[in-house]
Amino acid sequence: MDVMEAIRTRRSIRKYLPDPVPDEALATVLEAARLAPTACNNQAIRIVVVKDATQREQLIEACKGQKFVGQAPVVLVGCALEADSYPKQAGWLNTFAIDTTIVFDHVTLAATSLGLGTCWVGAFEEGAVQKVLGIPANWRVVCLMPLGTPAEQPDARPRKTLEELVSEDGW
Ligand SMILES: Cc1cc2nc3c(=O)[nH]c(=O)nc-3n(C[C@H](O)[C@H](O)[C@H](O)COP(=O)(O)O)c2cc1C
C-alpha cells in the first residue's frame, strides 16, 4: 500500500477483534514511529506498549470510560519528556506534543498499511495513565492509541473541501 492509499483509507477504529497483533507487524509499526522527525532531532519520546489485559482494563477508566481502548489487544501510550524537547522561545511552541503527534501519525499510517486499525485517544486523565503504567511525573502523556485488527469498517468521515482549507499567495 502506498502512502496516499494509507492516508485515504485510514479511519479511527473503535471496535477491535481480540486477535493478537503479530510481533512482526508491531515491530514494523514501532520502526515507523522510531523514524519520525522531531525538533532538533531531540527524540525526547517514549512509547509504552501495553498488552497486559489488567493494565488495558485500567486504561479504560483512565480514558474516561472509553471501552474500546481496552478492547484492542495492544495500546500504545505516547509519552514525551517536556524538559528535553525543543524549548519554548519567541514564536515557537514547546515541541513535545508536536513531536509525539508526528511519531503517532507515522504509527497510524504504518498500521493502516498492514491492515491494522488505530484511534488517536486524547481524552484521558494524565495522572491516572501515569499511575497505571508507572510513568514518571516529568514524562507527559500526549496520547493513547489502541492497535489491533479492525472489527468495523467505518465510512470516511467528512472533511472540509480544499477551497475551505487552502488559500494561495496570502490569507
Ligand atoms: C487530538 C485528537 C484527540 C482525539 N481523541 C479521541 C478520543 O479521546 N476518543 C475517540 O474516540 N476519538 C478521538 N479522536 C479521533 C477523532 O474523533 C477522529 O480522528 C475524527 O473524528 C475523524 O475521524 P477519522 O479519524 O476516522 O478520520 C481524537 C483525534 C485527535 C486528532
Side-chain angles (χ1 to χ4, degrees), residues 10-12 14 66 68 119-123 157 159:
R10 183 212 56 82
R11 305 278 182 271
S12 288
R14 299 183 179 90
Q66 299 188 80
F68 70 90
C119 183
W120 184 288
V121 173
R157 276 89 187 196
R159 292 292 193 268

Side-chain angles (χ1 to χ4, degrees), residues 30-159:
L30 295 175
E31 178 67 356
R34 190 181 74 82
L35 295 175
T38 55
C40 281
N41 207 19
N42 272 357
Q43 305 172 67
I45 307 283
R46 191 169 176 94
I47 299 170
V48 183
V49 178
V50 185
K51 297 181 187 171
D52 178 78
T54 306
Q55 288 181 330
R56 286 189 286 119
E57 187 67 28
Q58 290 168 340
L59 288 177
I60 294 174
E61 181 75 21
C63 293
K64 302 174 185 283
Q66 299 188 80
K67 288 203 167 56
F68 70 90
V69 174
Q71 283 162 354
V74 175
V75 184
L76 304 177
V77 181
C79 308
L81 188 56
E82 187 172 5
D84 276 4
S85 65
Y86 200 77
K88 275 195 184 103
Q89 59 176 34
W92 278 73
L93 300 169
N94 188 312
T95 56
F96 78 92
I98 299 172
D99 290 343
T100 314
T101 301
I102 296 170
V103 167
F104 274 78
D105 209 43
H106 278 208
V107 166
T108 63
L109 297 179
T112 302
S113 78
L114 297 167
L116 295 170
T118 58
C119 183
W120 184 288
V121 173
F124 58 84
E125 299 290 342
E126 185 175 26
V129 175
Q130 287 168 327
K131 193 170 170 196
V132 170
L133 301 173
I135 298 168
N138 57 338
W139 278 84
R140 303 296 309 274
V141 180
V142 178
C143 66
L144 286 85
M145 188 164 281
L147 174 73
T149 305
E152 61 171 355
Q153 290 185 312
D155 291 336
R157 276 89 187 196
R159 292 292 193 268

